[in-house]
Amino acid sequence: MNNDNIITAQGYHVPVLLNESVDALNIVEGGTYVDVTFGGGGHTRHILSKMDGNARLFSFDQDADAEENTHRQSPEGHEPLANDKRFTFVRSNFRFLDNWMRYYDVDHVDGILADLGVSSHHFDDQERGFSFRFDAPLDMRMNKSATLTAAQVLNTYDEERLADVFFLYGEIRQSRRIASAIVKARAKANVQTTQEFATIVEPFFKREREKKEMAKLFQA
Ligand SMILES: C[S@@+](CC[C@H](N)C(=O)[O-])C[C@H]1O[C@@H](n2cnc3c(N)ncnc32)[C@H](O)[C@@H]1O
């Protein structure tokens, strides 16, 4: 065991609706389950606690930081998940679920849990650019080996496409005007950091709604 293994996954992410979501899986003896969004492993651990010795669990996450949690003790001090023979971690986007199940010779699964979105860890990691609380490069890649960063999106998408991103994924009402402001700003200099981005878009939001609107924009 190296030193990392005695660090727990505590603080990485607090799982939501833990009992309700895992109860809804109706775990059966010898069943096969998939947690497509492993994160800090809170849901995965709870699923494993309900499984018998013959059941199997495949947990996906595309983020290498999440995978590290499989080698750590649980917040309660339980053994690292990587030591549990019933458990398999798959570092991949879950869009490839079918392919991976074929790879592991699984022809049906009894339940899938998806806790979609970002984890608290993403917001708390100052380097990754998911949060407007910190000044950081506009990265926002969940999969750190992916090539497309948020900065590339902001600096290369045409105005209409940017507006569509803000409107479709953030439900931003002023999406067209914000896209236009970004295109004007980037003509002078590329937008590289969360603070540069915030400075361009803040004037569009009323002070009392600013945090809510910024959160929606960052979500987009
Ligand atoms: C809300 S967190 C899940 C938290 C988890 N249920 C727990 O108990 O800690 C979502 C996780 O899913 C991962 N994720 C999001 N979209 C993904 C995708 N398309 N493929 C694989 N992983 C994804 C993120 O990296 C993040 O770790």
Side-chain angles (χ1 to χ4, degrees), residues 13 15 37-43 61-62 92-94 115 117-118 122 142:
H13 184 84
T37 47
F38 175 79
H43 284 105
D61 207 294
Q62 59 187 340
S92 165
N93 192 303
F94 61 73
D115 178 13
V118 286
H122 290 133
M142 263 188 197

Side-chain angles (χ1 to χ4, degrees), residues 96-109:
F96 303 116
L97 175 65
D98 256 12
N99 301 3
W100 281 104
M101 291 301 96
R102 264 198 296 280
Y103 175 80
Y104 284 111
D105 260 345
V106 174
D107 57 14
H108 87 281
V109 300

Side-chain angles (χ1 to χ4, degrees), residues 22 25 27 30-38 41-60 81 84-90 97 101 104 106 109-113:
V22 174
L25 282 176
I27 292 173
T32 301
Y33 297 90
V34 184
D35 174 358
V36 290
T37 47
F38 175 79
H43 284 105
T44 279
R45 282 191 181 277
H46 200 48
I47 295 169
L48 284 164
S49 76
K50 307 256 172 193
M51 284 174 23
D52 66 292
N54 296 321
R56 296 175 79 187
L57 173 65
F58 294 86
S59 294
F60 284 66
L81 288 165
D84 190 323
K85 292 201 163 37
R86 303 167 301 165
F87 171 72
T88 304
F89 182 83
V90 185
L97 175 65
M101 291 301 96
Y104 284 111
V106 174
V109 300
D110 298 283
I112 298 177
L113 184 136

Side-chain angles (χ1 to χ4, degrees), residues 5-216:
N5 291 348
I6 54 171
I7 299 167
T8 71
Q10 187 126 39
Y12 192 95
H13 184 84
V14 177
V16 291
L17 294 172
L18 184 63
N19 291 315
E20 294 84 343
S21 53
V22 174
D23 284 352
L25 282 176
N26 290 322
I27 292 173
V28 295
E29 254 176 58
T32 301
Y33 297 90
V34 184
D35 174 358
V36 290
T37 47
F38 175 79
H43 284 105
T44 279
R45 282 191 181 277
H46 200 48
I47 295 169
L48 284 164
S49 76
K50 307 256 172 193
M51 284 174 23
D52 66 292
N54 296 321
R56 296 175 79 187
L57 173 65
F58 294 86
S59 294
F60 284 66
D61 207 294
Q62 59 187 340
D63 189 347
D65 287 0
E67 183 170 16
E68 283 176 24
N69 291 324
T70 66
H71 300 289
R72 292 178 171 147
Q73 288 178 353
S74 75
E76 298 77 29
H78 295 132
E79 271 215 62
L81 288 165
N83 299 351
D84 190 323
K85 292 201 163 37
R86 303 167 301 165
F87 171 72
T88 304
F89 182 83
V90 185
R91 172 127 75 86
S92 165
N93 192 303
F94 61 73
R95 87 170 91 142
F96 303 116
L97 175 65
D98 256 12
N99 301 3
W100 281 104
M101 291 301 96
R102 264 198 296 280
Y103 175 80
Y104 284 111
D105 260 345
V106 174
D107 57 14
H108 87 281
V109 300
D110 298 283
I112 298 177
L113 184 136
D115 178 13
L116 301 172
V118 286
S119 64
S120 318
H121 172 75
H122 290 133
F123 290 129
D124 293 341
D125 186 338
Q126 307 201 7
E127 302 299 308
R128 296 187 63 175
F130 280 100
S131 171
F132 53 89
R133 281 185 292 147
F134 316 111
D135 191 13
L138 276 164
D139 183 319
M140 288 197 184
R141 288 168 304 158
M142 263 188 197
N143 170 0
K144 290 186 198 170
S145 45
T147 50
L148 188 66
T149 64
Q152 281 167 330
V153 169
L154 285 175
N155 292 307
T156 62
Y157 278 22
D158 66 32
E159 191 172 321
E160 194 179 340
R161 194 166 175 206
L162 269 184
D164 286 348
V165 168
F166 298 146
F167 187 72
L168 288 173
Y169 303 118
E171 297 175 359
I172 300 287
R173 283 175 34 207
Q174 308 214 54
S175 55
R176 300 215 169 278
R177 292 177 59 204
I178 290 174
S180 160
I182 290 165
V183 169
K184 276 199 194 88
R186 78 186 189 196
K188 293 185 201 136
N190 273 355
V191 190
Q192 300 288 10
T193 66
T194 50
Q195 282 318 301
E196 287 167 12
F197 179 52
T199 306
I200 300 165
V201 300
E202 267 163 7
F204 291 93
F205 305 132
K206 290 206 177 91
R207 187 162 277 279
E208 64 275 16
R209 300 246 343 135
E210 192 180 292
K211 282 214 166 72
K212 273 211 162 99
E213 295 297 325
M214 287 293 276
K216 283 159 62 179

